[in-house]
Amino acid sequence: MRRLVWSLMSVAALALAGCNSSDKSQPAAQGGEPATAAAGPAAKANAVSGTVTLRDAAQLSPQAKLEIKLIDVTAQDAPPLASKTIDPAASMPQSFELDFNPADVNPADIIIVQAVLTDGDRRYTAPLQSPVLTKGAASQVSIQLVGEQTPGEKQLAAFNGVQKQIGGMKITPGQKLEANVSRSWQVFREAGEVKFIREQVDYGDKGFTSTDYGFKDGKPWVVVQQKKASKDAKPTSTERAGWNGEGALVLKQTQAGSKTEVLGDDEAASLQKQAQAILSLATGGKGK
């Protein structure tokens, strides 16, 4: 009887061991290797997206245009991986999505989204790069743009810099009396070259002008003219014009009170002629 019980227990143990071994085993895959759970390839992103905003509030015109590009900055001079133009882009923020071919992306390279907003003479760019896709970067970005100085603003800033230095230049005064017009000026020279002329013209009951002229290489560079009712009155308007080295008009402003508008071409041409005239008058036709 005891032998029978032990035999039955041995059979049960062997059966249980067989079940456990069967649970842990896996069917052989083709080729003799054990099969594993199928793991699909990691999905590759084929688009980057995001938003573009302005850091400082600005009134954009209907002509504002936003260009967005996906660029491999490691591969210099390579064409963009993707690009998109939003025209017009008169309101902010702007959302975007750029589709690209994943095969074009080198995981070892640095990929960025570049956004440039152009509105007239002003450009808005991002002070920081916006990396995506590679080296742990995401496929979504938020880009903040900052307005750059216009060519005219850069020129006016340079003119103001020269204006602050005229105290250290050689000064030559002059004046001329005409019928109903009293004209006086100061010529500022540096290294024998006229850099600056300050002129005041009294037209009697027709008004008064105070004008600062900047010159480069004997040519008008920047003119800032204030128009007043009289010498001691506040300016009723201020006109600013400036030309680059090729003679193109880049600074063109007219300001009355707090309102600033674009100076017309005829008004700018008039200021240029005045600059040429006072340079000739103040230097006896020598221009220096």
Side-chain angles (χ1 to χ4, degrees):
M1 184 66 179
R2 183 175 298 176
R3 289 181 179 177
L4 180 59
V5 172
W6 278 109
S7 297
L8 290 175
M9 289 179 64
S10 299
V11 171
L14 290 172
L16 181 60
C19 290
N20 288 341
S21 174
S22 176
D23 289 345
K24 291 181 181 179
S25 65
Q26 295 180 350
Q30 188 175 3
E33 295 295 330
T36 57
K44 290 186 177 180
N46 61 359
V48 295
S49 59
T51 57
V52 179
T53 61
L54 296 182
R55 188 185 68 180
D56 303 314
Q59 184 67 41
L60 301 177
S61 74
Q63 287 73 45
K65 179 174 68 174
L66 178 62
E67 293 181 302
I68 307 170
K69 298 179 181 179
L70 184 65
I71 299 176
D72 184 338
V73 295
T74 306
Q76 295 183 357
D77 300 325
L81 302 176
S83 63
K84 182 176 185 179
T85 299
I86 300 176
D87 187 6
S91 62
M92 286 288 163
Q94 289 282 349
S95 299
F96 70 88
E97 183 171 286
L98 296 174
D99 295 324
F100 64 94
N101 182 0
D104 295 336
V105 176
N106 185 342
D109 289 355
I110 298 176
I111 314 296
I112 68 167
V113 176
Q114 180 189 78
V116 177
L117 175 67
T118 306
D119 189 11
D121 291 337
R122 191 177 305 282
R123 279 166 39 101
Y124 297 82
T125 58
L128 300 175
Q129 288 187 343
S130 299
V132 290
L133 301 176
T134 61
K135 300 183 182 297
S139 60
Q140 289 185 322
V141 290
S142 179
I143 302 175
Q144 194 174 67
L145 303 181
V146 178
E148 298 178 347
Q149 282 187 317
T150 66
E153 289 171 343
K154 291 179 181 178
Q155 193 171 48
L156 184 58
F159 171 79
N160 291 336
V162 173
Q163 190 178 46
K164 293 177 181 178
Q165 299 172 6
I166 61 175
M169 298 181 188
K170 181 181 178 180
I171 305 174
T172 304
Q175 62 178 359
K176 182 178 181 181
L177 299 177
E178 304 171 351
N180 302 319
V181 178
S182 175
R183 188 185 305 271
S184 63
W185 62 82
Q186 290 179 307
V187 180
F188 299 84
R189 291 181 174 87
E190 186 176 60
E193 182 180 352
V194 175
K195 295 290 188 180
F196 203 88
I197 295 179
R198 175 163 290 165
E199 180 191 40
Q200 293 185 333
V201 183
D202 191 343
Y203 296 95
D205 58 3
K206 293 184 179 180
F208 186 96
T209 61
S210 176
T211 311
D212 287 343
Y213 303 92
F215 297 90
K216 277 190 175 182
D217 301 322
K219 297 179 181 179
W221 173 45
V222 175
V223 179
V224 178
Q225 184 172 87
Q226 293 182 338
K227 296 182 178 180
K228 309 177 182 181
S230 62
K231 180 178 180 179
D232 298 325
K234 293 183 178 180
T236 56
S237 67
T238 301
E239 295 180 346
R240 304 178 182 93
W243 302 266
N244 61 19
E246 289 72 40
L249 182 66
V250 296
L251 172 60
K252 39 190 175 180
Q253 295 179 355
T254 177
Q255 181 178 350
S258 59
K259 187 176 182 181
T260 301
E261 297 179 334
V262 176
L263 181 69
D265 290 342
D266 291 342
E267 290 77 8
S270 176
L271 292 177
Q272 189 177 39
K273 289 180 179 179
Q274 292 178 51
Q276 293 166 339
I278 189 60
L279 179 62
S280 178
L281 177 61
T283 62
K286 296 179 182 179
K288 61 179 182 179

